[in-house]
Amino acid sequence: MSRRTSWHSTVLKRIPGGRDGRRMLLVSIIDKTGTGLWAGCTVLYFTYVSGLGLGQVGLLMTVSGGVGIAGAPIAGRLADRFPLVRLIAGAQLVRGGALLALLTTDNFLLLTLYSALGALPDRAGSVLIKLYAARQAGPDRVRYQAIQRTTVNIGWSIGGLGAAAALATGSTRAYALLLVGNVVTYLVIAVLTLRCAEPPAPSRIAATSRTAEGRAPVSPASPWRDRTFLAYTATDAALFLDDTILQVAVPLWIVHATTAPVGMAPLLLVLNTVLVVLFQVPLARFGATSRAARRLLVPLTGLFVVGTLALAASAAGGRALAITALVAAVVAFTFAEIIHATASWELSVALAPAEAQGAYLGVHGLAQSTQRFAGPLLVTGVISAGALAWPLLGLGLVAAGAAQHRVIRDRLAEPSLSVPTVTVSEH
């Protein structure tokens, strides 16, 4: 065996989750390559191709995000009862169909309807992938999630570069080609997902064990009656706002408030993804335990302050200042994304009892779904209000981080509720 082959095999063996875990990482990179083609120009498509105004774009994103809220808890409940692999594949096919429908109309109501239909499986798919990682990687979930986010952002980088090249042509046809490219990736990953083996589900393992021992089934805990978990989810919704700021606010801010070139929008998303690729895995070790993850909330809120101040500064001068400040803002929000991804991943799983893991993570999925619903309306409101509104938003995010830091303190002092170690065989 050559040195290169030996090194390659060693690296692959270090990835938690075995062969199917590695296959799901391939699914993630293809998925995000397609999404990267489309995400950086979504609001620009609605602006320049569909002819929607700023308020209409904000409303469309808000409505579709609102419908998507239901996807997370529905997916969590289904995942405790049905095969996870099939649910993931089905969600990808529905996402592709809804996205393709955008090409058929410029009508605002129909565009909103199709966007909403696509948001439902989009949010469901995110929760299902998270559950797959938790079940397949077992106690190595934090490292697996970090690797998974790295591969995701490699895909984002590839897709973002493709989007930048397409938009550089100045043709409106480029938007349609980018959309179709994303749809093709959904079809590919649906096929690849079906080749993955079904990981063991703690809820079904517990139920089978109790049945074999002749014990009565136990009603699983309900996240809807867990006040601490609901409060944690509510504060996490605010901390997920970096997603909307990077994908919605920054492109619109460039167009409506700065002198920076419009083509900078997808390039800034590339910068975001490259930084995640470089730093997600190395920084994951700082959130490998629930208490360490809680401590990350302090630097997280500081990064939000820096990012919002930089966005405000980007509208204060000429093109050079605008470009510099926008880069600084994206760097700050990217490190906020990295830190929050690590903290949120560990805390959401640690706070969830094993017998209701799907239901709990489904409810936690409401955090990101809620910010996708309210986030676009919020940031378009900030853009309309002007540069001084950005620092106020930063202070609001500091308050959310402080509240979360306090609300989970007592729960983390109790015995861990995270999933037990599960032995996962390679298939």
Side-chain angles (χ1 to χ4, degrees):
M1 180 181 295
S2 68
R3 180 179 300 177
R4 180 177 179 181
T5 302
S6 177
W7 176 87
H8 181 69
S9 300
T10 301
V11 170
L12 288 178
K13 288 180 180 178
R14 292 180 61 190
I15 298 176
R19 182 177 60 188
D20 289 315
R22 295 192 291 270
R23 184 173 289 149
M24 193 56 73
L25 291 178
L26 177 61
V27 167
S28 295
I29 193 171
I30 295 174
D31 181 8
K32 296 308 177 183
T33 297
T35 304
L37 289 172
W38 177 241
C41 64
T42 301
V43 296
L44 302 178
Y45 173 89
F46 292 129
T47 300
Y48 293 120
V49 178
S50 300
L52 303 185
L54 176 61
Q56 288 179 309
V57 172
L59 182 58
L60 180 150
M61 301 293 286
T62 298
V63 171
S64 61
V67 173
I69 287 176
I74 291 173
R77 296 286 290 181
L78 291 175
D80 282 334
R81 292 166 173 78
F82 300 102
L84 188 55
V85 166
R86 294 181 183 178
L87 291 174
I88 294 172
Q92 306 305 342
L93 293 176
V94 176
R95 288 171 72 192
L99 184 59
L100 195 61
L102 294 178
L103 292 175
T104 65
T105 183
D106 290 336
N107 181 274
F108 171 68
L109 293 179
L110 288 177
L111 289 171
T112 302
L113 173 63
Y114 297 146
S115 296
L117 291 177
L120 192 66
D122 179 72
R123 299 315 311 142
S126 296
V127 171
L128 295 173
I129 291 293
K130 182 176 182 179
L131 275 169
Y132 188 95
R135 293 175 181 177
Q136 190 74 5
D140 292 326
R141 60 178 182 262
V142 173
R143 176 173 172 77
Y144 183 89
Q145 174 70 355
I147 296 172
Q148 195 266 348
R149 280 186 55 78
T150 299
T151 61
V152 159
N153 282 275
I154 290 174
W156 271 105
S157 297
I158 296 171
L161 288 171
L167 294 182
T169 65
S171 170
T172 56
R173 186 185 178 191
Y175 293 99
L177 293 176
L178 293 172
L179 185 153
V180 171
N182 193 11
V183 172
V184 170
T185 63
Y186 288 149
L187 298 177
V188 172
I189 62 179
V191 173
L192 288 175
T193 299
L194 291 174
R195 297 184 61 191
C196 293
E198 182 70 19
S203 57
R204 292 199 289 273
I205 291 173
T208 301
S209 176
R210 294 187 69 86
T211 300
E213 295 172 4
R215 293 182 293 166
V218 176
S219 299
S222 171
W224 299 107
R225 293 193 293 268
D226 189 332
R227 295 182 179 179
T228 297
F229 194 81
L230 290 176
Y232 163 72
T233 299
T235 54
D236 225 30
L239 299 182
F240 271 115
L241 195 63
D242 63 85
D243 179 60
T244 297
I245 291 174
L246 287 168
Q247 294 194 36
V248 179
V250 170
L252 290 177
W253 186 248
I254 289 173
V255 172
H256 294 280
T258 78
T259 56
V262 174
M264 188 178 179
L267 294 178
L268 288 174
L269 284 181
V270 172
L271 172 62
N272 164 263
T273 55
V274 168
L275 290 175
V276 173
V277 168
L278 292 175
F279 294 102
Q280 184 71 68
V281 173
L283 294 181
R285 68 180 185 274
F286 295 108
T289 67
S290 55
R291 289 184 177 86
R294 177 174 176 258
R295 289 194 293 270
L296 289 178
L297 295 173
V298 176
L300 171 63
T301 53
L303 287 166
F304 277 131
V305 171
V306 173
T308 51
L309 288 174
L311 283 178
S314 67
R319 174 170 289 200
L321 175 60
I323 292 174
T324 302
L326 286 167
V327 170
V330 168
V331 169
F333 283 118
T334 297
F335 278 98
E337 174 192 346
I338 292 170
I339 291 175
H340 182 239
T342 298
S344 180
W345 169 250
E346 172 58 25
L347 292 173
S348 62
V349 177
L351 295 172
E355 70 274 8
Q357 185 190 69
Y360 265 71
L361 294 186
V363 168
H364 178 258
L366 290 172
Q368 196 162 15
S369 298
T370 299
Q371 78 82 23
R372 287 196 174 187
F373 166 68
L377 189 61
L378 175 62
V379 299
T380 52
V382 170
I383 292 171
S384 298
L388 293 180
W390 285 115
L392 295 178
L393 178 61
L395 291 177
L397 294 173
V398 170
Q404 182 175 121
H405 193 273
R406 173 65 182 86
V407 78
I408 64 176
R409 183 185 63 182
D410 295 337
R411 174 70 70 85
L412 296 183
E414 300 171 1
S416 175
L417 293 176
S418 60
V419 291
T421 300
V422 177
T423 300
V424 181
S425 60
E426 293 198 19
H427 301 278

